Amino acid sequence: MLDTHPPARHSVAVQVGHVVIGGNSPIVVQSMTNTDTADVAATVKQIRELAQAGSELVRLTINTDGAARAVAEIAEQLQQADVDVPLIGDFHFNGHKLLANNPDCAQALAKYRINPGNVGRGKKRDEQFAEMIEIACRYEKPVRIGVNWGSLDQALVARLMDDNARRIDAKDAQDIMHEIMVTSALESAAQAEALGMPRNRIILSAKMSGVQDLIAVYRELSAQSDHALHLGLTEAGMGSKGIVASTAALSVLLQEGIGDTIRISLTPEPGGDRCREVIVAQELLQAMELRHFTPAVIACPGCGRTTSHYFQQLAQDIQTHLREQMPVWRQHHPGVEEMKVAVMGCVVNGPGESKHANIGISLPGTGESPVAPVYVDGEKTVTLKGDAIAADFQKIVDDYVVRRYGK
């Protein structure tokens, strides 16, 4: 029998607030706000929405004194609203100053994100990196050392390019850039440990915008390190392009057992919902059977046998209903996230798929009798008909959840 489960990767576990990343813990979903962090009301609102959608960590841009001063108030308002989601500070260029000048911010954050490519230039680079690590040690906060393709440490780039030019078997440009990404992450982690940062407070990432580049870099990073790894295709793009590219890259790595926490970096469409990136991350992990977040709806794509759009609307309504109910169900009906619901459009695969699901309905296709048999745990239980099929089926689903998953 084929083993379809990813191999276990033995990474060091890192505690971030109440969330554990790495070790034998489930892969963690995280997201990032796109509000002005200094706007407390807007930022709190978006964090609440992201947490409600299922984001287990939320990252904030901290680029000004105003943003840094706002963090403690944001954390306080979230606590008052019973939103228990760890906050991550995203620092570039001036993080050492902002953390030093705003101790309330340094304390309120659960983790700091440091980019070794833009923490400073020349001698200042090591000094300012050290300042951030020392503050993290003082407040006992973990850090993510996040190398990014678009903002590499230019001194490191020059050094490794020169070394490569002197080799008899010089690497090509793409391979040397991969080496620079990995080296930057590993050397920065070693520097942090030398400054006193415990190994179990360091997470690494090496984000790139190309699918094959990302896969190659993380394979090498995983082979050379046991640090917990944050996965994400940077600048993934908008809409289906961003979703497909992120899924293509991350699914390969996750199937190989690489990765401890993920973010899907989607560009929101104008007026789009920031929570989309959380839902895509959850759906990716659920499709790979690495985690379960909400009951899965199995629905056929439709064909000439299903000229009625009724089953499409029912599938959408049921999927929306299940996701809306999850905040309550998660508390009172543990295990419901593994439930499968089938909404099928005709007799070809309808009964079979319905029998394989926990609950399934096979709606009538073109020319079929206007009735809809319902299957529960593989057995036909009732046949629905008339104008109330959707409402009746939804009630059957709700009753099943209470009966099957009630505490």
Side-chain angles (χ1 to χ4, degrees), residues 37 61-72 91 98-99 102 104-105:
T37 305
T61 296
I62 304 179
N63 57 340
T64 65
D65 274 314
R69 288 194 300 269
V71 170
F91 295 99
L98 295 177
L99 286 170
N102 296 277
D104 288 346
C105 170

Side-chain angles (χ1 to χ4, degrees), residues 76-365:
E76 176 65 24
Q77 289 193 23
L78 291 171
Q79 184 178 19
Q80 291 175 358
D82 288 329
V83 178
D84 188 16
V85 59
L87 302 179
I88 304 165
D90 191 68
F91 295 99
H92 299 273
F93 308 109
N94 59 353
H96 60 294
K97 291 182 179 179
L98 295 177
L99 286 170
N101 295 338
N102 296 277
D104 288 346
C105 170
Q107 181 61 53
L109 292 170
K111 186 178 72 169
Y112 310 155
R113 191 271 182 149
I114 305 173
N115 184 341
N118 57 28
V119 74
R121 297 285 185 267
K123 291 183 179 179
K124 289 186 177 181
R125 187 265 182 202
D126 288 344
E127 293 172 2
Q128 292 169 185
F129 181 83
E131 286 182 50
M132 294 192 72
I133 295 300
E134 287 164 3
I135 292 171
C137 290
R138 185 187 315 152
Y139 291 98
E140 298 184 342
K141 304 294 183 179
V143 297
R144 170 161 71 93
I145 296 173
V147 183
N148 198 297
W149 172 256
S151 52
L152 284 168
D153 179 353
Q154 293 306 304
L156 176 64
V157 171
R159 171 165 62 90
L160 293 186
M161 285 289 192
D162 289 345
D163 290 346
N164 185 60
R166 289 191 289 268
R167 293 176 182 168
I168 297 176
D169 57 342
K171 297 181 178 181
D172 63 28
Q174 186 178 42
D175 287 343
I176 192 62
M177 289 307 288
H178 293 172
E179 181 181 338
I180 291 168
M181 293 286 292
V182 173
T183 301
S184 179
L186 295 179
E187 287 189 355
S188 296
Q191 185 179 0
E193 288 191 66
L195 291 165
M197 175 63 68
R199 196 170 185 80
N200 65 352
R201 289 195 200 136
I202 299 174
I203 297 168
L204 299 183
S205 68
K207 291 191 172 184
M208 306 186 78
S209 56
V211 170
Q212 296 297 344
D213 292 317
L214 192 84
I215 292 170
V217 165
Y218 271 96
R219 280 174 173 165
E220 189 61 31
L221 190 57
S222 177
Q224 294 192 40
S225 169
D226 63 354
H227 285 295
L229 298 180
H230 168 80
L231 300 187
L233 187 74
T234 191
E235 288 93 38
M238 183 181 289
S240 60
K241 185 271 179 187
I243 293 171
V244 171
S246 294
T247 302
L250 269 60
S251 60
V252 171
L253 293 168
L254 292 169
Q255 187 63 27
E256 294 178 6
I258 298 171
D260 302 288
T261 177
I262 68 171
R263 182 194 171 205
I264 306 296
S265 299
L266 296 180
T267 303
E269 296 176 1
D273 188 353
R274 190 66 167 181
C275 296
R276 181 66 172 157
E277 66 178 52
V278 178
I279 295 170
V280 172
Q282 290 180 331
E283 289 177 346
L284 169 59
L285 294 177
Q286 186 150 328
M288 297 187 69
E289 299 185 3
L290 294 173
R291 288 189 68 182
H292 294 277
F293 298 93
T294 190
V297 176
I298 301 160
C300 65
C303 67
R305 294 175 178 271
T306 58
T307 53
S308 168
H309 298 299
Y310 192 86
F311 86 96
Q312 298 168 347
Q313 187 63 52
L314 179 57
Q316 183 182 57
D317 291 346
I318 286 295
Q319 184 161 284
T320 300
H321 176 70
L322 296 176
R323 186 167 285 278
E324 288 176 347
Q325 293 302 309
M326 275 308 296
V328 175
W329 284 352
R330 191 177 292 114
Q331 296 181 30
H332 302 288
H333 306 293
V336 68
E337 62 274 6
E338 299 185 23
M339 182 174 71
K340 293 182 179 180
V341 180
V343 180
M344 305 299 293
C346 79
V347 73
V348 173
N349 292 317
E353 286 284 4
S354 296
K355 289 177 182 178
H356 290 308
N358 296 93
I359 305 175
I361 185 170
S362 180
L363 295 164

